[in-house]
């Protein structure tokens, strides 16, 4: 029996397998509203066998968008646009999650295929950015350090977006605390030089993340699972470490998180990363063992055998893939076929199930 295709229960939600679609930004929204692209893009993975599909980093406030074309959940128009996408995922047998995010100092940037790089100027639709400290990401505009009222606004923004996500029908919520975005900026001593209750010690640097988890849990109640994505290392001297990540992961679970989605990097340009197949899986194992928490693994996981081994080895409890789903939206069905797993196929595809 394939462990990858065994169910996983988080609170009241039982996911049909452990091969999930990682949140991936599409930079294709207008005023934060998902459109036709998202209606086709996300449900196709449900037909392809995914157990869980997590929609892209979705801004909880307008200034939290990575780019002007990011999705949002700061108003009810956006909520109503998400609802039919969620229904379509459900109709195809999978569960739907959404990643709630604030980009902090990495907001207001050009999308990947734009000719320009760096921050979008106000004259072309950009906006001022915020951060724990007034330290810019290299090549980006200087951010403003958040004051007390600004921090309260971030917490409220996450809670309000969580409420709209649940109203839209999402089964699961993920708090984005990774990849150099706002909550990660607070966690790392490379970007957080504050001297108040949100800076200095690890406990202080984790305070905003934990407050956000508390606020989202208050909205979600006791039944809805919450995931937290973290970058377990900055891959840079003096930055956030895997050992700290394990501690923070344990704290996150104490505050109501159910699974730590373990990634890495994204905070600074001088990071030193050696990307190779499964290169971030050991980080998920460190957080899983050190924090005694349920984890998801990511990072160049591209084959059925590789994904199965992540689960079988005890390195993580779920596999979140990104690029491989883009290359093959039926990665789940292909993996099940290769592993000989007996899973449900769309009736339209049954002729491809065994031969």
């Amino acid at each position: 029996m394939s462990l990858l295709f065994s169910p996983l229960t988080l609170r009241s939600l039982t996911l049909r397998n452990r091969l999930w679609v990682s949140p991936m930004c599409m930079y294709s929204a207008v005023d934060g509203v998902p459109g036709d692209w998202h209606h086709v893009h996300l449900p196709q993975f449900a037909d392809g066998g995914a157990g869980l599909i997590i929609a892209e980093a979705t801004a909880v406030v307008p200034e939290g968008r990575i780019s002007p074309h990011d999705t949002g959940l700061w108003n009810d128009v956006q909520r109503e646009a998400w609802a039919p996408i969620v229904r379509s995922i459900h109709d195809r047998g999978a569960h739907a999650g959404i990643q709630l995010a604030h980009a902090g100092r990495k907001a207001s940037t050009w999308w990947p295929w734009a000719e320009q790089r760096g921050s979008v100027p106000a004259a072309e639709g950009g906006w001022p950015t915020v951060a724990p400290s007034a330290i810019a990401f290299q090549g980006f505009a200087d951010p403003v350090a958040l004051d007390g009222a600004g921090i309260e606004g971030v917490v409220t923004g996450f809670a309000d977006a969580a409420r709209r996500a649940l109203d839209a029908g999402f089964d699961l919520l993920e708090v984005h605390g990774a990849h150099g975005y706002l909550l990660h900026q607070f966690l790392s001593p490379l970007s957080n030089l504050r001297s108040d209750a949100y800076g200095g010690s690890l406990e202080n640097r984790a305070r905003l993340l934990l407050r956000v988890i508390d606020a989202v849990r208050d909205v979600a109640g006791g039944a809805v699972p919450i995931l937290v994505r973290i970058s377990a290392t900055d891959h840079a001297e003096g930055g956030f470490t895997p050992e700290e990540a394990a501690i923070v992961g344990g704290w996150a679970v104490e505050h109501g998180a159910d699974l730590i989605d373990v990634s890495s990097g994204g905070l600074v340009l001088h990071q030193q990363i050696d990307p190779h197949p499964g290169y971030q899986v050991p980080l998920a194992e460190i957080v899983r063992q050190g924090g005694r928490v349920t984890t998801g693994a990511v990072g160049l996981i591209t084959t059925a055998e590789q994904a199965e081994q992540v689960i079988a080895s005890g390195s993580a409890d779920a596999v979140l893939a990104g690029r491989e789903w883009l290359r093959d939206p039926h990665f789940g069905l292909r993996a099940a076929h290769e592993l000989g797993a007996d899973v449900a196929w769309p009736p339209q595809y049954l002729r491809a199930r065994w031969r």
Side-chain angles (χ1 to χ4, degrees):
M1 178 178 176
S2 166
L3 294 177
L4 183 67
F5 286 93
S6 64
L8 178 64
T9 298
L10 300 173
R11 294 190 183 251
S12 65
L13 188 67
T14 297
L15 300 152
R16 63 182 178 180
N17 63 51
R18 299 166 187 247
L19 182 57
W20 304 346
V21 177
S22 196
M24 294 176 282
C25 290
M26 293 291 107
Y27 307 100
S28 300
V30 177
D31 295 328
V33 179
D36 290 345
W37 171 267
H38 302 86
H39 280 263
V40 175
H41 168 66
L42 290 167
Q44 68 177 337
F45 301 125
D47 281 332
L52 172 67
I53 299 158
I54 306 180
E56 63 195 81
T58 296
V60 301
V61 291
E63 63 272 21
R65 290 171 292 167
I66 301 167
S67 84
H69 295 312
D70 280 29
T71 55
L73 263 173
W74 66 81
N75 65 42
D76 292 346
V77 173
Q78 296 157 353
R79 177 198 66 197
E80 294 306 310
W82 279 115
I85 299 171
V86 174
R87 287 195 298 270
S88 185
I89 291 171
H90 288 162
D91 289 345
R92 288 162 170 77
H95 286 98
I98 190 165
Q99 187 182 66
L100 304 178
H102 190 307
R105 69 180 188 173
K106 291 179 74 175
S108 188
T109 60
W110 295 100
W111 47 100
W113 55 88
E115 294 181 359
Q116 305 92 326
R117 289 290 179 268
S119 299
V120 178
E124 299 190 59
W127 56 89
T129 61
V130 297
S133 304
I135 305 171
F137 184 78
Q138 187 175 342
F140 289 13
D142 291 336
V144 174
L146 281 166
D147 59 14
I151 287 175
E152 295 304 317
V154 169
V155 176
T156 299
F158 272 93
D160 290 345
R163 187 173 295 106
R164 291 191 178 95
L166 297 180
D167 289 345
F170 283 101
D171 307 293
L172 174 151
L173 305 170
E174 177 166 275
V175 173
H176 199 350
H179 300 165
Y181 299 126
L182 184 65
L183 299 179
H184 182 190
Q185 292 162 27
F186 270 85
L187 285 172
S188 176
L190 295 178
S191 49
N192 183 349
L193 303 183
R194 299 175 74 98
S195 58
D196 62 3
Y198 292 90
S201 68
L202 178 61
E203 183 178 13
N204 283 358
R205 286 183 276 121
R207 190 178 305 276
L208 180 56
L209 172 64
L210 299 179
R211 286 196 60 197
V212 166
I213 296 169
D214 287 341
V216 173
R217 175 52 66 200
D218 285 346
V219 170
V224 176
I226 295 173
L227 277 54
V228 177
R229 174 163 277 196
I230 62 172
S231 282
T233 174
D234 291 335
H235 295 289
E237 185 177 354
F240 194 60
T241 69
E243 293 71 28
E244 289 180 320
I247 295 170
V248 171
W251 290 344
V253 170
E254 291 173 1
H255 282 255
D258 300 291
L259 181 145
I260 308 302
D261 177 4
V262 183
S263 187
S264 70
L267 186 85
V268 292
L269 279 184
H270 63 271
Q271 62 188 10
Q272 298 294 316
I273 301 178
D274 174 24
H276 55 270
Y279 73 103
Q280 296 181 117
V281 173
L283 297 172
E285 186 171 12
I286 290 171
V287 173
R288 188 175 190 262
Q289 299 298 328
R292 300 181 183 274
V293 298
T294 303
T295 62
V298 305
L300 298 184
I301 300 171
T302 60
T303 70
E305 182 179 1
Q306 183 188 12
E308 178 74 23
Q309 183 58 28
V310 170
I311 308 300
S313 67
S315 297
D317 301 276
V319 168
L320 293 96
R323 290 174 177 85
E324 192 60 26
W325 284 106
L326 297 183
R327 285 186 283 262
D328 178 6
H330 300 107
F331 178 38
L333 297 183
R334 174 164 56 83
H337 176 74
E338 292 175 1
L339 294 171
D342 185 11
V343 302
W345 281 55
Q348 298 89 339
Y349 296 170
L350 279 175
R351 74 194 72 177
R353 186 174 184 180
W354 298 120
R355 292 191 296 273

